[in-house]
Amino acid sequence: MVYSIAIDGPAGAGKSTIAKKIAKELGFIYVDTGAMYRAVALYLMRNQITADESEKITQACNEVNVSIEYVDGEQQVILNGENVNGFIRTEEVGMMTSASSKNKDVRMKMVELQRQLASKTSVVMDGRDIGTYVLPNADVKIYLTASSAERARRRYVELTKKGVACDIAEIEKDIIARDHQDMTREFAPLCQAEDAILVDSSDMTIDEVVTEIIDIFNKKQ
């Protein structure tokens, strides 16, 4: 049997960290859809293509190849043969990702690859529209969220630990702006699927969230 767990939610809710842990616990493959979109955004930025240049983005989709590989258990995002793990997690790439993912051609290319992966192996997939669009028949659908203040706090802690100077108020402002952008995009906007279970991680540890979602999965089997 092949199973799929779809985890959707806004930026900073902890989707990727939690999805990775769940995949490890269950022995599933973790598919980092956000990283795939970030790789496309990085390609656009490197080629000086802005989010409003639709025709150039469409053309770029024919030039971009994004894949996910695992080396010694570590996920590597490969953009046209280059491991771009070290370049795709900046705030600038994040904002460009939110904007460029509105383009239907970008989404169609990524969705095709994601569905192919899910049809062949058991996966945990996280993103903005996994349960609503990419994997509408997923065995378990989770909508993972947290307050904007808590998400900003987590990001602030993460950045300051790396020695990056930042302003928590500005971080929260960017998070709120990105939420609006993701929720109002024309194609497959961020929203909770009708059959998704809401999990608010504002006052939960990562391990508590992981345990709750695995329990949900086990009860459905």
Side-chain angles (χ1 to χ4, degrees):
M1 284 289 291
V2 171
Y3 298 102
S4 57
I5 298 176
I7 303 177
D8 291 310
K15 298 186 301 297
S16 297
T17 300
I18 287 162
K20 288 175 187 175
K21 284 182 170 289
I22 292 170
K24 187 175 181 179
E25 288 281 336
L26 296 176
F28 290 6
I29 295 296
Y30 168 62
V31 181
D32 188 347
T33 62
M36 295 169 70
Y37 282 104
R38 281 174 175 267
V40 174
L42 177 65
Y43 179 86
L44 298 176
M45 291 171 68
R46 284 179 170 179
N47 287 275
Q48 291 81 50
I49 299 173
T50 61
D52 59 352
E53 294 181 296
S54 325
E55 292 184 6
K56 288 186 178 181
I57 291 177
T58 299
Q59 178 59 37
C61 286
N62 297 322
E63 304 164 355
V64 170
N65 182 47
V66 179
S67 61
I68 291 179
E69 298 178 1
Y70 280 83
V71 177
D72 296 328
E74 181 183 351
Q75 175 186 277
Q76 296 187 353
V77 182
I78 309 299
L79 170 63
N80 292 345
E82 176 192 357
N83 179 351
V84 292
N85 279 15
F87 304 100
I88 61 175
R89 297 298 178 184
T90 66
E91 293 295 323
E92 292 79 10
V93 171
M95 290 302 292
M96 182 59 173
T97 301
S98 183
S100 61
S101 62
K102 294 179 182 178
N103 184 284
K104 194 169 184 177
D105 290 315
V106 171
R107 303 194 69 77
M108 288 298 97
K109 181 154 188 173
M110 297 298 99
V111 168
E112 180 183 0
L113 176 57
Q114 291 154 15
R115 287 176 174 168
Q116 286 176 0
L117 286 169
S119 71
K120 297 173 182 176
T121 186
S122 293
V123 299
V124 181
M125 204 175 290
D126 70 286
R128 303 290 188 277
D129 60 354
I130 308 303
T132 55
Y133 184 74
V134 180
L135 300 178
N137 297 315
D139 297 286
V140 171
K141 298 180 186 179
I142 302 295
Y143 189 82
L144 181 66
T145 190
S147 67
S148 60
E150 174 59 19
R151 287 183 280 145
R153 186 196 68 78
R154 293 172 184 173
R155 183 61 174 159
Y156 176 81
V157 170
E158 178 185 357
L159 291 172
T160 52
K161 281 183 177 178
K162 295 178 180 178
V164 179
C166 53
D167 183 299
I168 194 168
E170 284 299 314
I171 293 173
E172 184 173 10
K173 182 179 176 181
D174 288 343
I175 283 173
I176 292 170
R178 185 165 180 192
D179 286 352
H180 177 75
Q181 191 173 57
D182 289 341
M183 291 175 177
T184 58
R185 69 189 185 199
E186 183 177 354
F187 183 72
L190 168 66
C191 66
Q192 182 177 343
E194 290 184 5
D195 53 347
I197 297 171
L198 176 67
V199 176
D200 189 327
S201 68
S202 297
D203 300 312
M204 299 174 70
T205 66
I206 290 172
D207 287 341
E208 287 172 342
V209 176
V210 169
T211 298
E212 180 169 337
I213 294 175
I214 289 177
D215 284 346
I216 291 169
F217 172 77
N218 288 334
K219 286 175 183 177
K220 283 184 172 284
Q221 303 316 304

